[in-house]
Amino acid sequence: MQMNNLDTLPKKKILSLFMTCGFPTLNYSKKIFNEMLSHQPDIIEFGLPFSDPMADGPIIQEANKLALRSKLSTQHSLDLIKYLSKSKKNTSFVIMCYLNTVRKFGLNKFIKNIKSIVDGIIIVDLPFEEEGAIKKSLSKNNIHLIKLISPMTDKKRSQKLLKNSKGFIYYISATGITGSNKLDYKEINKNVKFIKKMSSVPVLVGFGIKSKKDVIDISKKTNADGVIIGSALIQKYFDLKMDFNKYLKSLKKFIKEVNV
Amino acid sequence: MKTYKQPSSVGRFGEFGGMYVSETLMPLLLNLDKSYKKIQKDKKFKKELNDLFKNYVGRPSSLHYAKNLSQYINGPKVYFKRDELNHTGAHKINNCLGQILLAKKMGKTRIIAETGAGQHGVATATVCALFGLPCYIYMGSKDIERQKPNVFRMKLLGATIIPVESGSKSLKDAMNEALRDWIKNVRDTFYIIGSTAGPHPYPKMVRDFQSVIGKEAREQILKVEKKLPDFLIACVGGGSNAMGLFYPFLNDKKVKIIGVEAAGIGAKTEETAATMTSGTPGILHGSYSYVLQDNDGQIKEAHSISAGLDYPGVGPEHSYLKDIKRVKYFGITDKEALEAFQTCSRLEGIIPALEPSHALAYLIKAFKNKHKNKVVILNLCGRGDKDLFTAARAIGIDADE
């Protein structure tokens, strides 16, 4: 069986970058992902646009909307990922999406499209109670189903959730939607420590990480193995009044900064 | 005969329903489910709710023999279950009272809700006023525009209205925003969902609280007709009034049950809200059910003249009842509903909301000169005051403020 990049993640300071596929258009999106890939982050998360991204904040919602407005289909996104995988080295590819996208595309067809290209998948609205058949098919094809844990997940539930976990654990740092602000390092540290007791895979902290300072603080003040940055990468596009060239430059600068 | 026993312990109606939400919400839903199960056995809770039903809402709502309409149709004897006579003018209050009592028991201190037509928003704002809890209502900006009287009512009741500008700016988007609010404020907030939609345990819980409609109707019809009805008819958006009427009759196989959806301009057009006539199974707002979606699973915008039915999804129990063929579902267009709205007003002296006008339109259309000697109960789930301007505009009468 082919290797899964997620199984050889570094021990510390893992960087995962999230970006919505097809944002702001398919052609621009290629350039964005190429730029991201050139920095060789440990993980790139590919967001598949969905019309009703319930767990996402306004910035990723807007990115979804722009991508869908340019008539982006699921097949377009998967083709984009395939195209990028040609220049992929050690970076792990992870898809982040909502269940309806996978269901409607067809689970088997979906897996066929991403097999040996994608290392992991996060299905935001698929709790472990419902994952049965999907997890089985994915693991048969060496794709890890990544688990999310929130501050609301209690110990008993965490134990069930973490059993046989693969790839990494996505710890939601704030009870909130993507792009929320407050980071409570004390709470993060307490919960990450607990997760690490029960699981040997790396724990990455996501939601609300916006700057180099946040990245360093997470690494200094908590036991987490790395961070996930998403909304902050997209936000810059709107800050720069949708000037794409300026955006690409600022993206380069920002990724260099956080890639510590 | 097999007794009807849905949903399963994990909220499945057959294959429909379930809990498809992010991990931030899962623990909350499980906790809600646990608390709901507990209060179901609580006699004090039941008594409290029944007292409120009786003295605050004015239950039982009457069962009115619509003699003139029956004559006009020249078919069955038509009875209206008059839930439009409830306090706040619709069936929504039944569920809101149940949920706010539960919220209180769970120690929650902040209430949020979504609303389309504003009826659920008004009912939520009302119970929040009664129980002294802060109330935040998510409402699509398109609905704020077309349901002005209800917006003012909610404000008067002390609620804060949060306009939703995303997507189609109507009910679906209001629900997305309310869910996002809940994810952000998980610790102190209770989300009162107004329909039999959303993740488990909502579809079950809302149905249970609304089933007071069917329980009363059953007793009332047995008293006047000495038999069960031959037909039940109700409109279906998310499906709460319909489930409320249907549920206590599901085991009575002789009772034929009909759900009427809003077909907008036509069920086969893009401008429709007839989820079960035109949709396919998919996942929206945390549950697996029929939805209006494209080939990629992107949820389509719904269209209906009635803001309360303008929803691209439907409660999972309706999807199940459709698939097992226990309930039949039909679509009625904006135009047909508007006609029935006027016919009912003139013949019975009751101005119905545009939502039950869809049920009325189906009754008039499908039962004309048919089913004589049969008995029909139609759920008149809301009154039409809120729709006067919309209807006037559509009919072409200047009724401006």
Side-chain angles (χ1 to χ4, degrees):
Chain A
M1 194 174 263
Q2 211 177 332
M3 220 187 65
N4 187 315
N5 278 354
L6 287 171
D7 295 335
T8 53
L9 282 172
K11 289 276 169 249
K12 277 281 153 201
K13 291 188 179 171
I14 298 169
L15 178 67
S16 179
L17 301 176
F18 170 92
M19 180 59 64
T20 304
C21 289
F23 158 78
T25 65
L26 188 55
N27 278 337
Y28 281 150
S29 186
K30 264 185 201 167
K31 290 184 187 169
I32 292 173
F33 279 111
N34 270 323
E35 177 63 38
M36 287 163 68
L37 199 53
S38 73
H39 296 268
Q40 296 202 42
D42 302 300
I43 302 167
I44 290 182
E45 288 176 34
F46 297 87
L48 302 188
F50 182 48
S51 55
D52 294 76
M54 198 168 85
D56 285 299
I59 297 159
I60 295 178
Q61 273 179 61
E62 195 58 31
N64 278 292
K65 205 163 111 189
L66 289 179
L68 290 175
R69 199 180 280 162
S70 74
K71 301 263 182 270
L72 186 95
S73 69
T74 306
Q75 190 65 60
H76 284 138
S77 296
L78 299 182
D79 289 346
L80 170 69
I81 298 169
K82 193 173 181 180
Y83 154 82
L84 291 160
S85 71
K86 287 175 190 146
S87 30
K88 157 185 176 181
K89 286 174 191 154
N90 293 321
T91 298
S92 299
F93 277 17
V94 171
I95 283 179
M96 191 161 180
C97 65
Y98 288 82
L99 184 56
N100 205 42
T101 305
V102 180
R103 263 201 62 90
K104 195 70 184 166
F105 196 82
L107 179 62
N108 291 333
K109 189 176 149 202
F110 193 87
I111 291 177
K112 220 170 146 188
N113 271 266
I114 62 170
K115 195 183 167 176
S116 325
I117 293 170
V118 168
D119 306 286
I121 179 164
I122 304 167
I123 305 177
V124 184
D125 54 349
L126 180 72
F128 88 101
E129 284 87 346
E130 309 274 1
E131 73 188 15
I134 295 177
K135 195 183 174 184
K136 235 184 182 168
S137 304
L138 287 170
S139 84
K140 249 193 224 159
N141 290 285
N142 199 22
I143 301 164
H144 299 332
L145 184 63
I146 307 300
K147 296 287 169 55
L148 292 133
I149 293 224
S150 96
M152 299 305 288
T153 317
D154 64 20
K155 288 189 177 174
K156 219 171 127 195
R157 186 173 168 78
S158 296
Q159 264 162 351
K160 281 194 253 177
L161 251 155
L162 291 168
K163 218 174 148 191
N164 305 323
S165 48
K166 294 251 176 77
F168 63 91
I169 304 294
Y170 189 138
Y171 178 71
I172 302 166
S173 51
T175 47
I177 45 183
T178 53
S180 325
N181 24 31
K182 275 175 262 158
L183 283 173
D184 180 347
Y185 293 106
K186 237 179 166 174
E187 194 189 30
I188 295 172
N189 195 34
K190 192 184 92 198
N191 290 329
V192 169
K193 260 188 183 163
F194 176 75
I195 297 169
K196 287 179 78 81
K197 253 189 231 164
M198 281 187 294
S199 163
S200 57
V201 300
V203 182
L204 305 194
V205 172
F207 283 45
I209 294 169
K210 289 196 168 73
S211 61
K212 183 180 177 176
K213 187 181 173 297
D214 292 342
V215 176
I216 293 172
D217 282 352
I218 290 277
S219 129
K220 274 190 184 157
K221 296 181 187 171
T222 81
N223 237 348
D225 304 302
V227 294
I228 299 164
I229 306 177
S231 300
L233 293 182
I234 296 171
Q235 171 74 55
K236 304 211 174 305
Y237 179 68
F238 301 107
D239 292 347
L240 294 166
K241 301 205 164 67
M242 301 187 246
D243 181 327
F244 188 75
N245 291 329
K246 272 191 197 163
Y247 172 60
L248 209 57
K249 273 182 209 153
S250 88
L251 199 64
K252 185 187 203 112
K253 193 170 152 247
F254 183 66
I255 297 174
K256 264 190 190 159
E257 255 176 50
V258 294
N259 204 353
V260 283
Chain B
M1 208 192 296
K2 242 170 70 185
T3 14
Y4 184 86
K5 224 180 154 191
Q6 301 285 345
S8 71
S9 62
V10 290
R12 291 273 176 196
F13 302 89
E15 61 174 329
F16 296 105
M19 306 164 112
Y20 295 100
V21 296
S22 68
E23 184 54 30
T24 347
L25 283 184
M26 259 329 266
L28 273 111
L29 287 172
L30 293 170
N31 188 28
L32 177 63
D33 189 34
K34 214 164 88 191
S35 307
Y36 177 58
K37 273 188 189 134
K38 215 192 276 167
I39 57 115
Q40 275 180 302
K41 291 174 205 145
D42 185 343
K43 280 193 187 133
K44 216 178 117 205
F45 177 88
K46 243 182 217 165
K47 192 184 170 293
E48 218 176 333
L49 185 59
N50 283 337
D51 281 352
L52 285 165
F53 275 173
K54 188 173 164 213
N55 301 313
Y56 192 65
V57 180
R59 300 210 74 92
S61 70
S62 63
L63 189 74
H64 160 70
Y65 171 39
K67 200 172 159 193
N68 300 336
L69 184 72
S70 301
Q71 268 171 10
Y72 172 77
I73 295 173
N74 188 32
K77 264 176 109 168
V78 178
Y79 286 87
F80 288 166
K81 179 59 179 163
R82 296 200 57 191
D83 255 53
E84 104 280 9
L85 291 178
N86 292 342
H87 178 43
T88 74
H91 70 290
K92 294 289 184 187
I93 189 90
N94 304 332
N95 166 54
C96 287
L97 281 168
Q99 286 199 45
I100 202 156
L101 283 180
L102 180 56
K104 276 281 202 190
K105 289 254 181 317
M106 291 174 75
K108 301 289 181 182
T109 53
R110 177 178 178 269
I111 301 292
I112 56 169
E114 84 294 338
T115 197
Q119 289 307 95
H120 176 57
V122 167
T124 306
T126 299
V127 300
C128 285
L130 182 66
F131 286 89
L133 289 178
C135 178
Y136 298 85
I137 305 287
Y138 286 88
M139 189 171 188
S141 57
K142 184 173 140 195
D143 290 338
I144 290 180
E145 189 50 43
R146 60 179 167 174
Q147 302 289 342
K148 278 184 192 150
N150 271 348
V151 172
F152 182 59
R153 280 160 95 193
M154 286 185 270
K155 284 184 182 162
L156 211 52
L157 291 160
T160 305
I161 316 257
I162 306 169
V164 176
E165 299 288 349
S166 59
S168 55
K169 299 171 187 163
S170 62
L171 182 54
K172 162 183 92 106
D173 312 286
M175 203 156 168
N176 281 333
E177 282 311 320
L179 282 162
R180 288 186 187 113
D181 179 310
W182 203 25
I183 295 175
K184 259 194 282 190
N185 300 291
V186 285
R187 289 179 172 93
D188 63 345
T189 298
F190 190 99
Y191 179 14
I192 299 187
I193 292 185
S195 198
T196 48
H200 179 68
Y202 283 102
K204 174 184 159 56
M205 189 163 71
V206 177
R207 173 199 74 191
D208 293 351
F209 288 138
Q210 289 296 0
S211 65
V212 62
I213 301 172
K215 277 180 209 150
E216 288 174 5
R218 203 185 155 90
E219 264 177 46
Q220 290 165 323
I221 201 78
L222 283 173
K223 215 173 207 174
V224 289
E225 288 289 335
K226 310 278 183 278
K227 64 165 201 168
L228 288 175
D230 299 290
F231 294 93
L232 300 175
I233 303 180
C235 63
V236 178
S240 70
N241 91 82
M243 272 328 300
L245 176 66
F246 298 168
Y247 184 58
F249 292 94
L250 288 176
N251 281 322
D252 305 303
K253 293 287 145 82
K254 283 192 180 148
V255 179
K256 295 195 176 80
I257 306 182
I258 294 162
V260 184
E261 296 191 291
I265 289 172
K268 286 189 178 130
T269 69
E270 286 290 306
E271 311 261 292
T272 184
T275 310
M276 282 182 293
T277 322
S278 316
T280 48
I283 291 155
L284 175 65
H285 297 142
S287 99
Y288 180 58
S289 192
Y290 278 84
V291 287
L292 298 174
Q293 59 184 333
D294 69 12
N295 290 334
D296 255 355
Q298 308 295 353
I299 310 302
K300 287 189 196 172
E301 289 179 13
H303 168 87
S304 168
I305 188 169
S306 138
L309 303 180
D310 198 352
Y311 182 59
V314 66
E317 191 162 17
H318 285 291
S319 294
Y320 174 69
L321 292 170
K322 172 194 158 78
D323 277 15
I324 63 163
K325 299 192 168 69
R326 178 65 187 97
V327 178
K328 285 194 174 145
Y329 295 87
F330 300 94
I332 280 293
T333 63
D334 289 351
K335 198 167 158 260
E336 292 170 319
L338 264 173
E339 269 171 36
F341 171 81
Q342 296 168 78
T343 308
C344 179
S345 303
R346 262 197 313 265
L347 288 176
E348 290 296 329
I350 296 171
I351 301 174
L354 284 173
E355 290 80 14
S357 293
H358 285 73
L360 284 160
Y362 180 80
L363 173 78
I364 295 168
K365 188 167 127 177
F367 285 67
K368 188 109 197 165
N369 303 323
K370 276 185 213 157
H371 304 295
K372 286 178 189 167
N373 306 318
K374 302 283 184 196
V375 170
V376 175
I377 299 177
L378 181 142
N379 197 10
L380 210 76
C381 59
R383 61 173 177 239
D385 312 35
K386 69 179 175 64
D387 295 316
L388 292 181
F389 296 117
T390 307
R393 216 175 302 131
I395 298 165
I397 295 169
D398 186 14
D400 238 3
E401 299 96 301

